[in-house]
Amino acid sequence: MANRGPSYGLSREVQEKIDQKYAVDLETRLVEWIIIQCGGDIDRPQPGRENFQDWLKTGTILCRLINSLYPPSDKPIKKIPETKMVFKQMEKISQFLQAAEAYGVIKTDLFQTVDLWEGKDLAAVQRTISALGSIALTKDDGHYRGEPDWFHRKAQGNRREFTEEQLRRGQNLIGMQMGSNQGASQSGMKGYGMPRQIM
């Protein structure tokens, strides 16, 4: 965690709950997929949250990962400079996030740059990479490398075609969501504001 002292009280409880969401078995699968997807010439990190964070936090591996899901001529991140400057590394992480969103990862599945850089929420980083893997597997365009059972396939559209007659008949039906007035009657009702008669 970069330049932050220890947290206490409620902040510490919240951080502990966030840290509990981190899955060690998912880390192993994601590391394996990233290495295979990027061509196998990447050093494998030692197991553990901090090592996983240090492995990804420069942004280089993430940029290579998103580029590997495109044909060589259409890579979304053209230059991936090796640098030790913090703002450049954070910029590469931001470029990865923008490219992942353009690839199809929904905004709620994306982590924030500080989640990775400062180690605030590495479970969110895992969620983003998992969502990216699921979309790559679902697209089935030949760029996904790895086992097909590592990620879930996203649901595909299930279009239904109705005839004009079916649509017309559906307009005359009152759905049960709108309620029903069957069995309702006003017998025994008193006017509003009148007291109840107790006998």
Side-chain angles (χ1 to χ4, degrees), residues 139-195:
K139 282 190 176 186
D140 201 21
D141 56 4
H143 297 294
Y144 173 81
R145 295 180 207 111
E147 298 295 322
D149 62 340
W150 281 350
F151 301 105
H152 299 288
R153 284 191 184 275
K154 297 277 185 185
Q156 300 296 316
N158 188 5
R159 275 191 76 72
R160 291 171 170 81
E161 298 293 327
F162 295 103
T163 64
E164 285 295 320
E165 180 188 342
Q166 289 173 321
L167 292 172
R168 232 181 348 260
R169 277 190 291 163
Q171 290 175 346
N172 297 331
L173 290 176
I174 297 176
M176 290 306 291
Q177 299 172 10
M178 297 176 198
S180 169
N181 65 354
Q182 291 179 340
S185 77
Q186 292 184 353
S187 66
M189 278 217 29
K190 305 288 183 198
Y192 290 108
M194 293 189 61

Short mmCIF file of all heavy atoms in Angstrom, two decimals, residues 139-195:
data_model
loop_
_atom_site.label_atom_id
_atom_site.label_comp_id
_atom_site.label_asym_id
_atom_site.label_seq_id
_atom_site.Cartn_x
_atom_site.Cartn_y
_atom_site.Cartn_z
N LYS A 139 -16.84 -14.05 -27.13
CA LYS A 139 -16.71 -13.54 -28.51
C LYS A 139 -16.29 -14.63 -29.47
O LYS A 139 -16.66 -14.61 -30.63
CB LYS A 139 -15.70 -12.39 -28.55
CG LYS A 139 -16.26 -11.08 -28.04
CD LYS A 139 -15.32 -9.92 -28.33
CE LYS A 139 -15.97 -8.63 -27.91
NZ LYS A 139 -15.18 -7.46 -28.29
N ASP A 140 -15.47 -15.57 -29.01
CA ASP A 140 -15.07 -16.71 -29.81
C ASP A 140 -14.55 -16.28 -31.18
O ASP A 140 -14.93 -16.83 -32.21
CB ASP A 140 -16.24 -17.69 -29.95
CG ASP A 140 -15.77 -19.09 -30.32
OD1 ASP A 140 -14.59 -19.40 -30.09
OD2 ASP A 140 -16.59 -19.86 -30.86
N ASP A 141 -13.65 -15.27 -31.18
CA ASP A 141 -13.11 -14.77 -32.44
C ASP A 141 -11.70 -15.28 -32.74
O ASP A 141 -11.04 -14.80 -33.65
CB ASP A 141 -13.13 -13.23 -32.45
CG ASP A 141 -12.37 -12.63 -31.27
OD1 ASP A 141 -11.77 -13.39 -30.48
OD2 ASP A 141 -12.39 -11.39 -31.12
N GLY A 142 -11.26 -16.26 -31.96
CA GLY A 142 -9.96 -16.86 -32.21
C GLY A 142 -8.80 -16.21 -31.47
O GLY A 142 -7.67 -16.69 -31.56
N HIS A 143 -9.05 -15.16 -30.71
CA HIS A 143 -7.96 -14.48 -30.00
C HIS A 143 -7.82 -14.95 -28.56
O HIS A 143 -6.80 -14.68 -27.93
CB HIS A 143 -8.16 -12.96 -30.03
CG HIS A 143 -8.12 -12.40 -31.42
ND1 HIS A 143 -6.98 -12.40 -32.19
CD2 HIS A 143 -9.07 -11.84 -32.18
CE1 HIS A 143 -7.24 -11.86 -33.37
NE2 HIS A 143 -8.51 -11.51 -33.39
N TYR A 144 -8.82 -15.63 -28.03
CA TYR A 144 -8.75 -16.14 -26.66
C TYR A 144 -7.86 -17.36 -26.62
O TYR A 144 -8.01 -18.29 -27.41
CB TYR A 144 -10.15 -16.49 -26.15
CG TYR A 144 -10.16 -17.18 -24.80
CD1 TYR A 144 -10.04 -16.45 -23.63
CD2 TYR A 144 -10.25 -18.57 -24.70
CE1 TYR A 144 -10.03 -17.08 -22.39
CE2 TYR A 144 -10.24 -19.20 -23.47
CZ TYR A 144 -10.12 -18.46 -22.32
OH TYR A 144 -10.11 -19.07 -21.09
N ARG A 145 -6.90 -17.35 -25.69
CA ARG A 145 -6.04 -18.51 -25.47
C ARG A 145 -6.23 -18.95 -24.03
O ARG A 145 -6.24 -18.13 -23.13
CB ARG A 145 -4.57 -18.16 -25.70
CG ARG A 145 -4.27 -17.78 -27.12
CD ARG A 145 -2.79 -17.43 -27.30
NE ARG A 145 -2.68 -16.51 -28.40
CZ ARG A 145 -2.35 -15.23 -28.30
NH1 ARG A 145 -2.09 -14.72 -27.13
NH2 ARG A 145 -2.28 -14.47 -29.36
N GLY A 146 -6.37 -20.21 -23.82
CA GLY A 146 -6.57 -20.72 -22.47
C GLY A 146 -7.66 -21.77 -22.47
O GLY A 146 -8.23 -22.10 -23.49
N GLU A 147 -7.91 -22.30 -21.28
CA GLU A 147 -8.92 -23.35 -21.14
C GLU A 147 -10.32 -22.75 -21.22
O GLU A 147 -10.57 -21.68 -20.65
CB GLU A 147 -8.75 -24.06 -19.79
CG GLU A 147 -7.43 -24.76 -19.63
CD GLU A 147 -7.25 -25.91 -20.60
OE1 GLU A 147 -8.23 -26.62 -20.88
OE2 GLU A 147 -6.12 -26.08 -21.10
N PRO A 148 -11.25 -23.41 -21.90
CA PRO A 148 -12.61 -22.87 -22.00
C PRO A 148 -13.38 -22.89 -20.69
O PRO A 148 -14.36 -22.16 -20.54
CB PRO A 148 -13.29 -23.76 -23.04
CG PRO A 148 -12.43 -24.95 -23.20
CD PRO A 148 -11.06 -24.60 -22.71
N ASP A 149 -12.94 -23.69 -19.72
CA ASP A 149 -13.66 -23.73 -18.45
C ASP A 149 -13.09 -22.77 -17.40
O ASP A 149 -13.54 -22.78 -16.25
CB ASP A 149 -13.71 -25.16 -17.90
CG ASP A 149 -12.34 -25.72 -17.60
OD1 ASP A 149 -11.34 -25.19 -18.14
OD2 ASP A 149 -12.25 -26.69 -16.82
N TRP A 150 -12.15 -21.93 -17.77
CA TRP A 150 -11.60 -20.96 -16.82
C TRP A 150 -12.57 -19.82 -16.55
O TRP A 150 -12.54 -19.20 -15.51
CB TRP A 150 -10.27 -20.40 -17.33
CG TRP A 150 -9.12 -21.33 -17.10
CD1 TRP A 150 -9.12 -22.47 -16.35
CD2 TRP A 150 -7.81 -21.19 -17.63
NE1 TRP A 150 -7.88 -23.05 -16.38
CE2 TRP A 150 -7.05 -22.29 -17.16
CE3 TRP A 150 -7.20 -20.26 -18.45
CZ2 TRP A 150 -5.71 -22.47 -17.48
CZ3 TRP A 150 -5.87 -20.43 -18.76
CH2 TRP A 150 -5.13 -21.53 -18.29
N PHE A 151 -13.40 -19.49 -17.54
CA PHE A 151 -14.34 -18.37 -17.40
C PHE A 151 -15.73 -18.81 -17.84
O PHE A 151 -15.88 -19.79 -18.57
CB PHE A 151 -13.88 -17.17 -18.24
CG PHE A 151 -12.52 -16.68 -17.88
CD1 PHE A 151 -11.43 -16.95 -18.68
CD2 PHE A 151 -12.32 -15.94 -16.72
CE1 PHE A 151 -10.16 -16.50 -18.35
CE2 PHE A 151 -11.06 -15.49 -16.38
CZ PHE A 151 -9.97 -15.78 -17.20
N HIS A 152 -16.72 -18.06 -17.41
CA HIS A 152 -18.11 -18.33 -17.80
C HIS A 152 -18.40 -17.62 -19.12
O HIS A 152 -17.95 -16.50 -19.33
CB HIS A 152 -19.09 -17.81 -16.74
CG HIS A 152 -18.91 -18.45 -15.41
ND1 HIS A 152 -19.27 -19.74 -15.16
CD2 HIS A 152 -18.39 -17.97 -14.25
CE1 HIS A 152 -18.99 -20.04 -13.91
NE2 HIS A 152 -18.45 -18.99 -13.33
N ARG A 153 -19.16 -18.28 -19.95
CA ARG A 153 -19.62 -17.61 -21.18
C ARG A 153 -20.75 -16.67 -20.81
O ARG A 153 -21.62 -17.00 -20.01
CB ARG A 153 -20.13 -18.63 -22.19
CG ARG A 153 -19.03 -19.37 -22.89
CD ARG A 153 -19.59 -20.16 -24.07
NE ARG A 153 -18.56 -20.93 -24.69
CZ ARG A 153 -17.73 -20.46 -25.62
NH1 ARG A 153 -17.84 -19.22 -26.02
NH2 ARG A 153 -16.81 -21.23 -26.15
N LYS A 154 -20.74 -15.49 -21.40
CA LYS A 154 -21.82 -14.52 -21.18
C LYS A 154 -23.05 -14.98 -21.94
O LYS A 154 -22.95 -15.62 -22.98
CB LYS A 154 -21.41 -13.12 -21.67
CG LYS A 154 -20.23 -12.53 -20.95
CD LYS A 154 -20.68 -11.89 -19.69
CE LYS A 154 -19.51 -11.19 -19.02
NZ LYS A 154 -19.86 -10.66 -17.75
N ALA A 155 -24.21 -14.63 -21.43
CA ALA A 155 -25.46 -15.01 -22.10
C ALA A 155 -25.57 -14.27 -23.43
O ALA A 155 -25.24 -13.09 -23.53
CB ALA A 155 -26.65 -14.66 -21.22
N GLN A 156 -26.04 -14.98 -24.43
CA GLN A 156 -26.24 -14.38 -25.75
C GLN A 156 -27.69 -13.92 -25.86
O GLN A 156 -28.56 -14.35 -25.11
CB GLN A 156 -25.94 -15.41 -26.85
CG GLN A 156 -24.51 -15.92 -26.81
CD GLN A 156 -23.50 -14.83 -27.10
OE1 GLN A 156 -23.69 -14.04 -28.01
NE2 GLN A 156 -22.45 -14.77 -26.32
N GLY A 157 -27.97 -13.09 -26.81
CA GLY A 157 -29.33 -12.59 -27.01
C GLY A 157 -30.29 -13.73 -27.35
O GLY A 157 -29.92 -14.70 -27.98
N ASN A 158 -31.52 -13.58 -26.91
CA ASN A 158 -32.54 -14.59 -27.18
C ASN A 158 -33.75 -13.87 -27.76
O ASN A 158 -34.75 -13.66 -27.09
CB ASN A 158 -32.90 -15.33 -25.89
CG ASN A 158 -33.80 -16.52 -26.14
OD1 ASN A 158 -34.10 -16.85 -27.28
ND2 ASN A 158 -34.24 -17.16 -25.07
N ARG A 159 -33.61 -13.48 -29.02
CA ARG A 159 -34.69 -12.72 -29.66
C ARG A 159 -35.90 -13.59 -29.92
O ARG A 159 -35.78 -14.74 -30.28
CB ARG A 159 -34.21 -12.14 -30.99
CG ARG A 159 -33.50 -10.82 -30.80
CD ARG A 159 -33.27 -10.12 -32.10
NE ARG A 159 -34.41 -9.46 -32.71
CZ ARG A 159 -34.97 -8.36 -32.28
NH1 ARG A 159 -34.56 -7.80 -31.18
NH2 ARG A 159 -35.97 -7.81 -32.94
N ARG A 160 -37.07 -12.98 -29.76
CA ARG A 160 -38.32 -13.68 -30.04
C ARG A 160 -39.07 -12.89 -31.10
O ARG A 160 -39.08 -11.66 -31.07
CB ARG A 160 -39.14 -13.78 -28.76
CG ARG A 160 -38.52 -14.72 -27.75
CD ARG A 160 -39.24 -14.62 -26.42
NE ARG A 160 -38.84 -15.65 -25.50
CZ ARG A 160 -37.75 -15.63 -24.76
NH1 ARG A 160 -36.93 -14.63 -24.85
NH2 ARG A 160 -37.47 -16.61 -23.93
N GLU A 161 -39.69 -13.61 -31.98
CA GLU A 161 -40.47 -12.98 -33.04
C GLU A 161 -41.94 -13.28 -32.80
O GLU A 161 -42.32 -14.45 -32.61
CB GLU A 161 -40.05 -13.53 -34.42
CG GLU A 161 -38.59 -13.24 -34.77
CD GLU A 161 -38.32 -11.76 -34.98
OE1 GLU A 161 -39.23 -11.05 -35.47
OE2 GLU A 161 -37.21 -11.32 -34.65
N PHE A 162 -42.77 -12.26 -32.78
CA PHE A 162 -44.21 -12.42 -32.60
C PHE A 162 -44.92 -11.95 -33.85
O PHE A 162 -44.51 -10.99 -34.50
CB PHE A 162 -44.71 -11.60 -31.40
CG PHE A 162 -44.15 -12.06 -30.09
CD1 PHE A 162 -43.14 -11.37 -29.45
CD2 PHE A 162 -44.66 -13.20 -29.48
CE1 PHE A 162 -42.64 -11.79 -28.24
CE2 PHE A 162 -44.16 -13.64 -28.27
CZ PHE A 162 -43.15 -12.93 -27.65
N THR A 163 -46.03 -12.61 -34.17
CA THR A 163 -46.83 -12.18 -35.30
C THR A 163 -47.67 -10.98 -34.87
O THR A 163 -47.82 -10.70 -33.67
CB THR A 163 -47.78 -13.31 -35.75
OG1 THR A 163 -48.70 -13.59 -34.70
CG2 THR A 163 -47.00 -14.57 -36.12
N GLU A 164 -48.22 -10.29 -35.85
CA GLU A 164 -49.07 -9.13 -35.54
C GLU A 164 -50.28 -9.55 -34.71
O GLU A 164 -50.69 -8.84 -33.81
CB GLU A 164 -49.54 -8.46 -36.84
CG GLU A 164 -48.46 -7.64 -37.52
CD GLU A 164 -48.03 -6.46 -36.67
OE1 GLU A 164 -48.88 -5.81 -36.04
OE2 GLU A 164 -46.81 -6.19 -36.64
N GLU A 165 -50.84 -10.71 -35.02
CA GLU A 165 -52.02 -11.18 -34.28
C GLU A 165 -51.67 -11.44 -32.81
O GLU A 165 -52.43 -11.06 -31.91
CB GLU A 165 -52.55 -12.48 -34.91
CG GLU A 165 -53.78 -13.03 -34.20
CD GLU A 165 -54.17 -14.40 -34.70
OE1 GLU A 165 -53.74 -14.80 -35.80
OE2 GLU A 165 -54.91 -15.07 -33.96
N GLN A 166 -50.51 -12.04 -32.55
CA GLN A 166 -50.10 -12.29 -31.17
C GLN A 166 -49.89 -10.98 -30.41
O GLN A 166 -50.26 -10.85 -29.25
CB GLN A 166 -48.81 -13.12 -31.13
CG GLN A 166 -49.00 -14.56 -31.55
CD GLN A 166 -47.67 -15.28 -31.66
OE1 GLN A 166 -46.68 -14.71 -32.13
NE2 GLN A 166 -47.66 -16.55 -31.25
N LEU A 167 -49.31 -10.01 -31.07
CA LEU A 167 -49.10 -8.70 -30.44
C LEU A 167 -50.43 -8.02 -30.12
O LEU A 167 -50.60 -7.41 -29.07
CB LEU A 167 -48.24 -7.80 -31.33
CG LEU A 167 -46.78 -8.22 -31.50
CD1 LEU A 167 -46.10 -7.37 -32.55
CD2 LEU A 167 -46.05 -8.12 -30.18
N ARG A 168 -51.40 -8.12 -31.05
CA ARG A 168 -52.72 -7.52 -30.84
C ARG A 168 -53.45 -8.18 -29.66
O ARG A 168 -54.06 -7.51 -28.84
CB ARG A 168 -53.56 -7.63 -32.11
CG ARG A 168 -54.13 -6.30 -32.56
CD ARG A 168 -54.98 -6.36 -33.81
NE ARG A 168 -54.92 -7.57 -34.53
CZ ARG A 168 -54.22 -7.89 -35.65
NH1 ARG A 168 -53.66 -7.23 -36.22
NH2 ARG A 168 -54.14 -8.96 -36.26
N ARG A 169 -53.37 -9.51 -29.59
CA ARG A 169 -54.02 -10.21 -28.49
C ARG A 169 -53.37 -9.84 -27.15
O ARG A 169 -54.05 -9.74 -26.14
CB ARG A 169 -53.93 -11.72 -28.68
CG ARG A 169 -55.03 -12.25 -29.60
CD ARG A 169 -55.07 -13.75 -29.58
NE ARG A 169 -53.84 -14.25 -30.22
CZ ARG A 169 -53.38 -15.48 -30.11
NH1 ARG A 169 -54.01 -16.35 -29.37
NH2 ARG A 169 -52.30 -15.84 -30.73
N GLY A 170 -52.09 -9.63 -27.14
CA GLY A 170 -51.38 -9.27 -25.90
C GLY A 170 -51.77 -7.90 -25.39
O GLY A 170 -51.68 -7.62 -24.19
N GLN A 171 -52.20 -7.00 -26.26
CA GLN A 171 -52.60 -5.66 -25.83
C GLN A 171 -53.90 -5.67 -25.05
O GLN A 171 -54.17 -4.77 -24.28
CB GLN A 171 -52.73 -4.73 -27.04
CG GLN A 171 -51.39 -4.40 -27.67
CD GLN A 171 -51.55 -3.58 -28.93
OE1 GLN A 171 -52.64 -3.46 -29.48
NE2 GLN A 171 -50.45 -3.02 -29.39
N ASN A 172 -54.74 -6.67 -25.24
CA ASN A 172 -56.03 -6.75 -24.56
C ASN A 172 -55.96 -7.44 -23.21
O ASN A 172 -56.94 -7.46 -22.48
CB ASN A 172 -57.06 -7.46 -25.45
CG ASN A 172 -57.32 -6.70 -26.73
OD1 ASN A 172 -57.18 -5.47 -26.75
ND2 ASN A 172 -57.67 -7.40 -27.78
N LEU A 173 -54.84 -8.03 -22.89
CA LEU A 173 -54.71 -8.73 -21.62
C LEU A 173 -54.23 -7.78 -20.54
O LEU A 173 -53.39 -6.93 -20.78
CB LEU A 173 -53.69 -9.87 -21.74
CG LEU A 173 -54.10 -11.06 -22.59
CD1 LEU A 173 -52.95 -12.04 -22.66
CD2 LEU A 173 -55.32 -11.75 -21.99
N ILE A 174 -54.78 -7.93 -19.36
CA ILE A 174 -54.29 -7.17 -18.21
C ILE A 174 -53.40 -8.10 -17.41
O ILE A 174 -53.86 -9.13 -16.92
CB ILE A 174 -55.46 -6.66 -17.33
CG1 ILE A 174 -56.33 -5.71 -18.12
CG2 ILE A 174 -54.93 -6.01 -16.08
CD1 ILE A 174 -57.56 -5.25 -17.37
N GLY A 175 -52.16 -7.76 -17.30
CA GLY A 175 -51.23 -8.60 -16.57
C GLY A 175 -51.52 -8.55 -15.08
O GLY A 175 -52.06 -7.57 -14.56
N MET A 176 -51.16 -9.59 -14.37
CA MET A 176 -51.40 -9.64 -12.93
C MET A 176 -50.52 -8.63 -12.19
O MET A 176 -50.77 -8.32 -11.04
CB MET A 176 -51.16 -11.05 -12.39
CG MET A 176 -52.23 -12.04 -12.83
SD MET A 176 -53.92 -11.51 -12.45
CE MET A 176 -53.92 -11.63 -10.69
N GLN A 177 -49.48 -8.11 -12.82
CA GLN A 177 -48.65 -7.08 -12.19
C GLN A 177 -49.47 -5.83 -11.94
O GLN A 177 -49.19 -5.07 -11.03
CB GLN A 177 -47.48 -6.71 -13.10
CG GLN A 177 -46.56 -7.84 -13.39
CD GLN A 177 -45.54 -7.44 -14.45
OE1 GLN A 177 -45.44 -6.28 -14.80
NE2 GLN A 177 -44.78 -8.40 -14.93
N MET A 178 -50.46 -5.60 -12.78
CA MET A 178 -51.26 -4.38 -12.67
C MET A 178 -52.38 -4.54 -11.65
O MET A 178 -53.16 -3.63 -11.43
CB MET A 178 -51.86 -4.02 -14.03
CG MET A 178 -50.81 -3.71 -15.05
SD MET A 178 -51.60 -3.41 -16.61
CE MET A 178 -50.24 -3.60 -17.71
N GLY A 179 -52.49 -5.70 -11.07
CA GLY A 179 -53.53 -5.93 -10.08
C GLY A 179 -54.79 -6.46 -10.74
O GLY A 179 -54.89 -6.61 -11.94
N SER A 180 -55.75 -6.75 -9.92
CA SER A 180 -57.00 -7.30 -10.41
C SER A 180 -58.13 -6.74 -9.57
O SER A 180 -57.95 -6.43 -8.40
CB SER A 180 -56.95 -8.82 -10.28
OG SER A 180 -58.23 -9.36 -10.51
N ASN A 181 -59.28 -6.59 -10.19
CA ASN A 181 -60.43 -6.13 -9.42
C ASN A 181 -61.46 -7.23 -9.24
O ASN A 181 -62.58 -6.99 -8.85
CB ASN A 181 -61.05 -4.89 -10.06
CG ASN A 181 -61.64 -5.18 -11.42
OD1 ASN A 181 -61.48 -6.29 -11.94
ND2 ASN A 181 -62.31 -4.20 -12.00
N GLN A 182 -61.10 -8.44 -9.57
CA GLN A 182 -62.04 -9.54 -9.42
C GLN A 182 -62.23 -9.85 -7.94
O GLN A 182 -61.27 -9.92 -7.18
CB GLN A 182 -61.52 -10.78 -10.15
CG GLN A 182 -61.54 -10.59 -11.65
CD GLN A 182 -61.00 -11.81 -12.37
OE1 GLN A 182 -60.29 -12.60 -11.78
NE2 GLN A 182 -61.35 -11.93 -13.64
N GLY A 183 -63.44 -10.01 -7.54
CA GLY A 183 -63.76 -10.32 -6.15
C GLY A 183 -63.88 -9.09 -5.27
O GLY A 183 -64.19 -9.20 -4.10
N ALA A 184 -63.64 -7.93 -5.80
CA ALA A 184 -63.73 -6.71 -4.99
C ALA A 184 -65.15 -6.18 -5.04
O ALA A 184 -65.81 -6.23 -6.06
CB ALA A 184 -62.77 -5.65 -5.53
N SER A 185 -65.63 -5.71 -3.93
CA SER A 185 -66.95 -5.08 -3.92
C SER A 185 -66.94 -3.97 -2.88
O SER A 185 -66.06 -3.92 -2.01
CB SER A 185 -68.04 -6.10 -3.59
OG SER A 185 -68.06 -6.37 -2.21
N GLN A 186 -67.91 -3.10 -2.97
CA GLN A 186 -67.97 -1.99 -2.03
C GLN A 186 -69.02 -2.22 -0.94
O GLN A 186 -69.33 -1.32 -0.20
CB GLN A 186 -68.30 -0.70 -2.78
CG GLN A 186 -67.18 -0.27 -3.68
CD GLN A 186 -67.50 1.07 -4.35
OE1 GLN A 186 -68.60 1.58 -4.21
NE2 GLN A 186 -66.55 1.60 -5.06
N SER A 187 -69.55 -3.42 -0.85
CA SER A 187 -70.58 -3.67 0.14
C SER A 187 -69.99 -3.52 1.54
O SER A 187 -68.91 -3.99 1.83
CB SER A 187 -71.17 -5.07 -0.03
OG SER A 187 -70.18 -6.03 0.25
N GLY A 188 -70.71 -2.83 2.38
CA GLY A 188 -70.29 -2.63 3.76
C GLY A 188 -69.31 -1.48 3.94
O GLY A 188 -68.83 -1.24 5.03
N MET A 189 -68.99 -0.77 2.86
CA MET A 189 -68.05 0.36 2.99
C MET A 189 -68.77 1.57 3.54
O MET A 189 -69.89 1.86 3.18
CB MET A 189 -67.43 0.70 1.63
CG MET A 189 -66.31 -0.19 1.34
SD MET A 189 -64.88 0.45 0.49
CE MET A 189 -64.61 2.10 0.77
N LYS A 190 -68.13 2.27 4.37
CA LYS A 190 -68.62 3.54 4.89
C LYS A 190 -67.88 4.66 4.17
O LYS A 190 -66.80 4.45 3.61
CB LYS A 190 -68.36 3.66 6.39
CG LYS A 190 -68.92 2.51 7.20
CD LYS A 190 -70.42 2.59 7.25
CE LYS A 190 -70.96 1.46 8.12
NZ LYS A 190 -72.31 1.18 7.93
N GLY A 191 -68.38 5.81 4.22
CA GLY A 191 -67.72 6.95 3.59
C GLY A 191 -66.40 7.25 4.29
O GLY A 191 -66.22 6.97 5.47
N TYR A 192 -65.49 7.80 3.58
CA TYR A 192 -64.20 8.13 4.16
C TYR A 192 -64.37 9.17 5.27
O TYR A 192 -65.14 10.11 5.15
CB TYR A 192 -63.25 8.67 3.08
CG TYR A 192 -62.82 7.60 2.11
CD1 TYR A 192 -63.29 7.58 0.81
CD2 TYR A 192 -61.97 6.59 2.52
CE1 TYR A 192 -62.92 6.60 -0.08
CE2 TYR A 192 -61.58 5.58 1.65
CZ TYR A 192 -62.05 5.60 0.36
OH TYR A 192 -61.68 4.61 -0.51
N GLY A 193 -63.63 9.01 6.32
CA GLY A 193 -63.69 9.95 7.43
C GLY A 193 -64.75 9.63 8.46
O GLY A 193 -64.82 10.23 9.52
N MET A 194 -65.63 8.69 8.18
CA MET A 194 -66.67 8.34 9.13
C MET A 194 -66.12 7.31 10.12
O MET A 194 -65.35 6.43 9.75
CB MET A 194 -67.89 7.75 8.43
CG MET A 194 -68.59 8.80 7.58
SD MET A 194 -70.15 8.22 6.95
CE MET A 194 -71.06 7.90 8.42
N PRO A 195 -66.50 7.41 11.41
CA PRO A 195 -65.98 6.47 12.39
C PRO A 195 -66.58 5.09 12.18
O PRO A 195 -67.65 4.94 11.62
CB PRO A 195 -66.44 7.06 13.71
CG PRO A 195 -67.62 7.90 13.38
CD PRO A 195 -67.37 8.42 11.99
#
